[in-house]
Amino acid sequence: MKMCNICHKISATDQDHLDCVHRRSIEMQDEDFKNSIPEKLNLAKDTQNLDVEVRAILEHLTKSKDIENKS
């Protein structure tokens, strides 16, 4: 028995919990997708052509990214 490196709870096997590993991989995929949104939309070229809703979503994502980086 050892401690899971992800949730820090006791694991019956000598490995991390499968659900913890799966959840971490999904979170990493979500983070990669969230970080790639500006490149996909070519935001460096012209942000004025985007609708208000899309700009609001992108602002929300960048704010949540900044908050996560500070913690």
Side-chain angles (χ1 to χ4, degrees):
M1 293 194 352
K2 76 167 205 154
M3 299 294 279
C4 176
N5 292 322
I6 300 167
C7 69
H8 306 292
K9 294 181 180 176
I10 295 175
S11 174
T13 63
D14 288 333
Q15 299 176 351
D16 295 334
H17 299 121
L18 291 177
D19 59 330
C20 294
V21 172
H22 185 67
R23 182 177 61 236
R24 183 174 57 181
S25 69
I26 290 172
E27 289 171 353
M28 294 300 291
Q29 289 172 356
D30 288 347
E31 192 67 32
D32 291 341
F33 176 74
K34 196 167 42 169
N35 290 336
S36 69
I37 289 174
E39 292 90 25
K40 289 181 181 179
L41 294 175
N42 293 322
L43 288 179
K45 293 181 180 178
D46 188 17
T47 60
Q48 298 303 320
N49 291 335
L50 297 175
D51 290 333
V52 175
E53 295 86 1
V54 174
R55 282 186 285 187
I57 291 170
L58 292 174
E59 287 176 11
H60 172 73
L61 290 175
T62 56
K63 286 179 185 175
S64 66
K65 182 179 172 185
D66 290 341
I67 292 171
E68 289 173 2
N69 289 339
K70 290 180 182 178
S71 12

